[in-house]
Amino acid sequence: HSAGSGKSNSIAWLAHQLVGLEQGSKPVFDSVVVVTDRRVLDKQLKNTIKQFAQVASVVGHADRSGDLRRFITEGKKIIITTVQKFPIVVNDIGDEHRGRTFAILIDEAHSSQGGRTAGKMNETLADVEEEDTEDEINRVMESRKMLPNASYFAFTATPKNKTLEIFGDVFEDGGVVKRRPFHSYTMKQAVQERFILDVLQNYTPVASYYRLMKKIED
């Protein structure tokens, strides 16, 4: 989803909907875990989810690993945490809580500026150099594979091939099996709907500008 798509609203609304989802009068998901790539939990996302959650006690903000484990064990309905703690989520859900179901919403699973991770994450807390947020998520996912008791929803503006391999929908193109995003909100659509401005609207290449200026004034 490109800028202007209201990603925080989409994630908050999805979390709210998944918490209330039932099948045969039983909840489909015991907990919804929202993973964001910022060390300081995304204030906008936290506030948006708070607004959607009718009861404040259903939302837990896991700033520390101990909080995260406690919230998972207690069955807190919506748990917000950072990508640095993502291995804990994957390991605990896959080992200690196999009998329960989880929805994992990954916010901004994309490349960070400059290529370095926003905060180095690891499988056993060993530093990994030159790894961005998206690489981190993919590596943890590959190390544990997709957990059968979890559903994954990744929101990104710049999906890498590896990300599409893990999260993407399968389709055939000329006999070749490929993967694509489940849903896209393109920059073109965001411009058409006036959520963002078209930065190329008044774009002039240097060479064209130079030629125009030369004709007007030597």
Side-chain angles (χ1 to χ4, degrees), residues 31 33 60-76 79-81 84-93 95-97 100 102 123-125 144:
S31 293
V33 182
H61 308 292
D63 294 292
R64 293 184 291 274
S65 303
D67 294 334
L68 178 58
R69 288 201 159 100
R70 182 166 54 81
F71 290 152
I72 292 173
T73 303
E74 289 175 356
K76 184 76 82 172
I79 303 163
I80 308 172
T81 189
Q84 289 76 26
K85 296 179 184 66
F86 186 61
I88 295 170
V89 174
V90 175
N91 290 335
D92 282 17
I93 287 173
D95 295 334
E96 294 173 38
H97 302 285
R100 293 165 57 204
F102 297 85
E123 286 143 39
T124 53
L125 306 184
R144 288 302 303 259

Side-chain angles (χ1 to χ4, degrees), residues 29-89:
F29 299 108
D30 293 303
S31 293
V32 175
V33 182
V34 180
V35 181
T36 177
D37 75 345
R38 297 161 184 81
R39 269 196 183 281
V40 179
L41 293 178
D42 188 318
K43 203 172 179 183
Q44 183 189 357
L45 186 57
K46 275 169 69 175
N47 292 339
T48 308
I49 289 177
K50 265 186 186 172
Q51 286 167 9
F52 276 104
Q54 292 170 354
V55 185
S57 60
V58 304
V59 182
H61 308 292
D63 294 292
R64 293 184 291 274
S65 303
D67 294 334
L68 178 58
R69 288 201 159 100
R70 182 166 54 81
F71 290 152
I72 292 173
T73 303
E74 289 175 356
K76 184 76 82 172
K77 282 299 181 183
I78 299 175
I79 303 163
I80 308 172
T81 189
T82 56
V83 72
Q84 289 76 26
K85 296 179 184 66
F86 186 61
I88 295 170
V89 174

